[in-house]
Amino acid sequence: MTEAQIDTNELTRIEDARSKGPLATLAIYTKLSGPGWLQSAITLGGGSLASALYLGVLTGYSMLWLQPVAMLLGIVMLSAIAYVTLSTGKRPFQAINEHVNPVLGWGWLIAVAMANVVWSLPQFALGTAALQQNLFPELLGGETGKVISCALILGIATAVIWQYDSGAKGVKIFEGILKAMVGVVVLSFFGVVVTLMMGENSLPIGEILGGFVPDLSLLTQPASTFSDVLTRTGEASAFWSDRIVSQQQDVMIAAAATAVGINMTFLLPYSMLRKGWGKGHRGLGIFDLATGLFIPFFVATSCVVIASSSQFHTKFDQALVDDPAAAALNGGYLGALDARLSSDEGTQLRLAGDEFGALDAEAKTAAVAAAFAYLPPADRELAALRGQLRTLQSAATELVGSDDLDTVLRQIVARAGQAVLAPAHLLAVAAPGGGEPL
């Protein structure tokens, strides 16, 4: 980019605002921001929000600090990329090939392209499912409707990108829509937390605020909320501690890894250059990342952690702990119990595998009752908590990966059967166009 291509009008407005003081500078920066909001729209996806959900379920409020810290580290990296790009005016791919190594440049480009394909394809599946099952089920049903839906989504996406590339007016329209969409997402999650605070059981504000203080000890030891139940397991506390710490480490790594994607490192500098930003916009670029990227991400993910923690952390179905018949119907819970039994050399009881699977319902209930008699309540409680997280992860994976309505409905019924104690389960769904329920 040459100096002639830089938006001199914006530079003049920025300099005028700086001469008037911090408030005027803040106002003009807020008005001119944009690329950071695009990054926010990319990162506020299923990966970040699912990781926040699991963080709350597994560790409660104690890991509220993790995703903001991961995002701050990502913003430091993105700020460095933006600073170099705006200082040199060169496209990053060109600069890396010229000044570092073409192998690194092409490797970066290929990795970004692969990441975009992996990220984009599920969006087509989700959009097609919404069109076929929610918005226009009669008009877009069947395989032909699926093709039409995909073509429609591709056409809209192409038009939006074309609009972004059409000039300043198109960029402003695109960024305005993007800011509104990100705002709706953030406000929705914030509304959930506000609703919980206004409910009968108010949220523990002090504990929540304490969760924003980094605690690296969670990499090597269970969250403090497990202390009581681990003490009651006696000699088995080491077994359960290892399992909990392993899960905490997995969730922490996943949460940190999904904060900033490699496609963001490529898109950010190009979107800044496309807006005509140069050396004089370096302060605006950092402000844009701090507000457009960090604040929405921080609010949304924190609200998800708070909501999931208040509803699910250290909470389980008491029937699983007390009733062998109910426990025999929950595969995730039986798997957690079987792992505990397998670690104990003093028993041959097993609640998983081909031999157990071949038993009838009555024999399975009897086997679970024998396991209950052998294991103390604390073991069964921890197994219920571990099984709950595994069921949640499986449900999320299956529902996101399914684009067939009948399959989704069967999975909902199956998961309800694991979560609710009842002789049978019936899910009735009213068809949008009327007629008999599904």
Side-chain angles (χ1 to χ4, degrees):
M1 176 185 291
T2 64
E3 286 296 325
Q5 292 174 295
I6 295 176
D7 194 330
T8 55
N9 180 49
E10 283 190 358
L11 288 177
T12 301
R13 294 167 65 187
I14 291 173
E15 291 300 326
D16 289 343
R18 286 174 177 168
S19 65
K20 296 177 182 178
L23 291 179
T25 304
L26 176 63
I28 192 64
Y29 276 7
T30 302
K31 186 175 183 180
L32 297 178
S33 64
W37 290 89
L38 180 58
Q39 306 305 309
S40 183
I42 292 174
T43 196
L44 280 178
S48 296
L49 298 179
S51 296
L53 175 67
Y54 299 147
L55 276 177
V57 173
L58 180 60
T59 64
Y61 306 115
S62 59
M63 281 197 190
L64 277 166
W65 58 272
L66 178 63
Q67 288 182 300
V69 168
M71 178 53 71
L72 285 174
L73 294 175
I75 287 177
V76 170
M77 175 186 65
L78 292 175
S79 296
I81 294 173
Y83 189 90
V84 172
T85 301
L86 297 179
S87 297
T88 62
K90 289 186 176 181
R91 299 177 182 273
F93 179 67
Q94 172 192 354
I96 288 179
N97 286 344
E98 289 181 1
H99 301 291
V100 184
N101 192 303
V103 175
L104 180 61
W106 281 102
W108 181 37
L109 178 63
I110 293 171
V112 169
M114 294 176 64
N116 281 333
V117 170
V118 172
W119 179 84
S120 297
L121 291 181
Q123 315 310 314
F124 277 88
L126 181 61
T128 300
L131 290 173
Q132 289 189 302
Q133 300 169 17
N134 300 106
L135 300 178
F136 309 106
E138 296 181 356
L139 184 62
L140 296 176
E143 290 298 318
T144 302
K146 183 178 292 187
V147 174
I148 294 174
S149 299
C150 289
L152 181 63
I153 295 171
L154 179 62
I156 294 174
T158 303
V160 170
I161 294 172
W162 205 302
Q163 182 78 5
Y164 187 80
D165 200 46
S166 64
K169 186 176 180 180
V171 170
K172 289 181 179 178
I173 295 174
F174 177 82
E175 290 178 349
I177 296 173
L178 204 62
K179 290 178 181 179
M181 294 175 65
V182 172
V184 168
V185 172
V186 173
L187 289 176
S188 298
F189 288 118
F190 186 73
V192 172
V193 174
V194 171
T195 301
L196 291 173
M197 292 180 66
M198 297 174 62
E200 295 181 1
N201 299 320
S202 60
L203 298 175
I205 303 300
E207 190 175 347
I208 291 173
L209 294 177
F212 289 107
V213 179
D215 183 6
L216 296 179
S217 67
L218 294 171
L219 282 167
T220 57
Q221 63 186 38
S224 59
T225 47
F226 291 106
S227 298
D228 177 64
V229 67
L230 284 173
T231 301
R232 290 189 285 114
T233 60
E235 296 181 356
S237 62
F239 168 83
W240 288 114
S241 294
D242 290 343
R243 296 300 185 278
I244 293 172
V245 168
S246 176
Q247 281 187 320
Q248 289 179 177
Q249 291 171 346
D250 291 343
V251 173
M252 291 174 75
I253 292 172
T258 53
V260 174
I262 190 172
N263 50 350
M264 297 169 64
T265 65
F266 199 91
L267 178 62
L268 175 68
Y270 280 93
S271 61
M272 288 181 166
L273 293 176
R274 183 65 189 84
K275 283 178 67 66
W277 288 8
K279 288 183 179 179
H281 295 84
R282 290 182 301 198
L284 172 59
I286 296 174
F287 172 85
D288 186 41
L289 287 172
T291 55
L293 176 55
F294 180 76
I295 293 177
F297 179 86
F298 171 76
V299 175
T301 55
S302 296
C303 287
V304 173
V305 173
I306 292 170
S308 60
S309 175
S310 67
Q311 299 300 305
F312 301 111
H313 181 57
T314 65
K315 297 178 181 179
F316 52 87
D317 186 353
Q318 190 63 39
L320 293 178
V321 178
D322 299 333
D323 187 352
L329 300 174
N330 193 301
Y333 178 56
L334 293 182
L337 277 180
D338 183 72
R340 167 65 182 89
L341 292 169
S342 299
S343 69
D344 194 330
E345 298 179 356
T347 180
Q348 297 298 317
L349 291 170
R350 293 294 180 269
L351 299 178
D354 295 337
E355 185 176 345
F356 179 81
L359 299 176
D360 58 26
E362 184 176 352
K364 286 182 178 180
T365 300
V368 174
F372 275 22
Y374 183 79
L375 295 174
D379 279 309
R380 307 202 296 269
E381 291 174 11
L382 284 169
L385 293 172
R386 184 173 172 83
Q388 176 191 22
L389 182 62
R390 293 172 65 181
T391 300
L392 178 65
Q393 291 172 325
S394 299
T397 301
E398 291 173 0
L399 294 178
V400 170
S402 301
D403 58 359
D404 177 72
L405 178 59
D406 291 335
T407 301
V408 171
L409 294 179
R410 284 196 298 270
Q411 289 169 347
I412 291 175
V413 173
R415 294 304 174 187
Q418 293 182 351
V420 181
L421 178 60
H425 308 278
L426 174 65
L427 176 67
V429 180
E436 295 294 325
L438 301 177

